[in-house]
Amino acid sequence: MRAVAAGSVGNLVEWYEFGVYGFLATVLADRFFTPAGGGAAEALVRTYAAFALAFFFRPLGAALFGTLGDRTRRRPVLIGVITLMTASTALIGLLPTYATAGAAAPWLLTLLRALQGLSAGGEFGGAVALMTESAPPGRRGLYGAWQSFTVALGLLAGAGVATATATLLTPAQLAAWGWRLPFLLALPLGLVALWLRVGLDEAPRAGAGEDGGPRGGAGVAAWGRDGGPPGDAGAGTRSRDGLTGGPPGGAGVGVRVVLTAVGRVMGWSAAGYTFLVVLPSYLQVALHADVRQALLATVPADLGFAAAILPAGLLSDRVGRRPVMLTGAVLVTALAVPLLRLLQDDGTSAAAKGAATAAAGAVVGLMAGPGPALLAEMFPARVRWTGLGLAYSLSNAVFSGCAGLIITEAVRRTGDADVPAYYAAAACAVSALVLARGPWRAGTRAGAPGGGGSGGASGSRRALRRGRSERCG
């Protein structure tokens, strides 16, 4: 379990900071992006632009740290990633504001956001590779779900700290110095993560020899689930859904499989950020809630999200990744607009609104639970960190990082308060189509390779024997 803790704690730090930034976006807009005479809405758009920019550094981080982690060892690279992430987050709490540093202030904030994006891009792929490679047969969905679970914990921690800060301090104190405290709190969290990773043993890589490369295709075949191809997807073999993980020889990551992976998780990215991060600022700007009301409204969503993730990951070990994720994507597509209109209705009780936002979070959890294992199983060991990191970071760059910017600007220009629902529903509709595309594997039942139940190990042994026979042929 130390591998689970060491892998997931960095994710907690990352999403704690991203949650704090999203929850305090209106305060940061006033402190960093509002010169004399500037408008609040324009400043919020600039704040989310800096937010989005950090996401576009994620693919670069995934490629940089992923290549290092795939070619060398996981642990040293993961230590470097968490160190960079912690330092850049804590430094935000020490930055001068626009009133002190003038135009340099937003540029300094944007620079630190870029460094956070770089480290976050390397964090996810390495942590998921570490945890899923350490998982026993039939439990990769559950182990991978811990990575998503710490997203929920990080967002809850960010929401809790931001809410407590906004509640305990006056608005003037929050604006003057109180906003710094949540960012500085990332330092002790990061030190705990660093301690866990320094004492971590390297896990054997699934499908890898002692040199870290794949042993033919057997190990990846044993990983086969409905998330990715059987056989060595990175060695030019074609999966049963027509995907290939890389060119012959396994030198790189195939574009087609990365784009398919992005399509499968884009609904998770868009809906997660819409309902879990952007919602507080939307409630303040579009529905004129105060900061305390907006932050409190997101806590049920985060709780529902957290409650659904581990059961969804465990269920995916029994029935397959794609069926569980497809259910979540379809539900978001159908329910996003009714949910948002319920929140807009002044006649709806606070309890009903809380229950609705909790349900929205739980539906996103259906996608987030199996998602990490699905991505990990689409790539062989030698390019797993790079491949799944690129897919996840590209999806987050486009559909999460831009969510606040797109929604805020679209609401400002059109006046349509339903824009967040349209955004989440459209992304999940596309994701549902990609998840449904291709034949469903016979191996999505318990006892199949990578599946749950007592047959998981025997399925892995059958896959290993099949890989040996293929190499001998």
Side-chain angles (χ1 to χ4, degrees):
M1 289 300 292
R2 187 182 181 104
V4 172
S8 57
V9 70
N11 208 43
L12 187 149
V13 175
E14 172 196 343
W15 287 89
Y16 165 81
E17 188 281 331
F18 273 81
V20 166
Y21 190 97
F23 299 144
L24 297 179
T26 53
V27 179
L28 294 173
D30 178 66
R31 295 287 85 193
F32 287 91
F33 294 94
T34 309
E42 290 84 356
L44 188 59
V45 168
R46 296 189 189 102
T47 305
Y48 277 128
F51 189 74
L53 180 66
F55 276 88
F56 283 95
F57 275 84
R58 285 185 172 215
L60 179 61
L64 173 63
F65 293 112
T67 300
L68 289 173
D70 284 331
R71 292 182 177 179
T72 59
R73 293 188 299 150
R74 308 280 198 227
R75 187 183 68 173
V77 182
L78 283 169
I79 289 173
V81 165
I82 193 62
T83 301
L84 177 61
M85 183 185 301
T86 301
S88 55
T89 299
L91 284 173
I92 290 180
L94 301 175
L95 284 180
T97 63
Y98 197 99
T100 303
W107 285 107
L108 290 172
L109 177 61
T110 302
L111 173 62
L112 291 178
R113 295 292 302 157
L115 291 176
Q116 287 174 326
L118 195 70
S119 61
E123 171 65 29
F124 181 85
V128 170
L130 174 70
M131 289 189 290
T132 54
E133 289 168 358
S134 301
R139 287 294 178 266
R140 293 189 183 101
L142 178 61
Y143 270 54
W146 279 98
Q147 182 76 346
S148 294
F149 185 65
T150 53
V151 172
L153 293 183
L155 290 174
L156 277 170
V161 171
T163 302
T165 304
T167 301
L168 296 174
L169 302 178
T170 66
Q173 290 172 327
L174 179 66
W177 53 268
W179 63 268
R180 299 180 183 275
L181 301 179
F183 292 102
L184 294 174
L185 188 58
L187 185 58
L189 292 175
L191 291 176
V192 172
L194 189 62
W195 171 74
L196 285 169
R197 289 187 176 178
V198 166
L200 182 68
D201 292 328
E202 286 281 333
R205 303 186 189 183
E210 292 179 0
D211 62 347
R215 295 172 177 168
V220 180
W223 270 60
R225 194 77 173 131
D226 61 336
D232 192 347
T237 58
R238 187 165 296 278
S239 76
R240 287 155 70 172
D241 57 4
L243 299 176
T244 179
V253 179
V255 173
R256 188 179 179 188
V257 73
V258 170
L259 293 179
T260 300
V262 169
R264 287 177 173 179
V265 300
M266 62 182 281
W268 165 25
S269 299
Y273 255 76
T274 299
F275 293 131
L276 303 175
V277 177
V278 176
L279 188 60
S281 296
Y282 165 79
L283 293 174
Q284 293 174 67
V285 174
L287 303 185
H288 309 293
D290 64 40
V291 64
R292 294 181 182 87
Q293 293 172 332
L295 290 172
L296 287 172
T298 63
V299 172
D302 290 331
L303 289 173
F305 180 58
I309 289 170
L310 294 180
L314 185 61
L315 180 62
S316 77
D317 283 325
R318 304 292 300 180
V319 304
R321 321 291 179 221
R322 286 164 63 192
V324 180
M325 295 184 70
L326 180 60
T327 301
V330 170
L331 287 173
V332 172
T333 303
L335 300 177
V337 173
L339 167 69
L340 205 63
R341 289 182 177 171
L342 184 147
L343 294 178
Q344 297 164 2
D345 185 3
D346 293 334
T348 304
S349 67
K353 291 182 178 180
T357 56
V363 171
V364 177
L366 291 179
M367 295 181 282
L374 176 139
L375 291 174
E377 290 165 348
M378 292 181 73
F379 301 94
R382 64 167 164 267
V383 293
R384 184 168 295 134
W385 185 332
T386 305
L388 74 91
L390 276 174
Y392 181 78
S393 60
L394 285 170
S395 177
N396 274 268
V398 178
F399 301 104
S400 290
C402 294
L405 180 62
I406 293 171
I407 290 170
T408 304
E409 183 67 9
V411 170
R412 186 173 73 90
R413 288 180 177 272
T414 66
D416 188 344
D418 292 334
V419 166
Y422 299 149
Y423 180 79
C428 283
V430 175
S431 197
L433 292 174
V434 180
L435 284 164
R437 177 182 175 273
W440 297 94
R441 298 181 186 284
T444 61
R445 296 184 298 275
S454 60
S458 63
S460 296
R461 287 192 292 270
R462 287 193 298 271
L464 287 168
R465 288 195 295 270
R466 184 168 61 251
R468 294 190 189 102
S469 66
E470 288 172 355
R471 290 196 303 278
C472 292

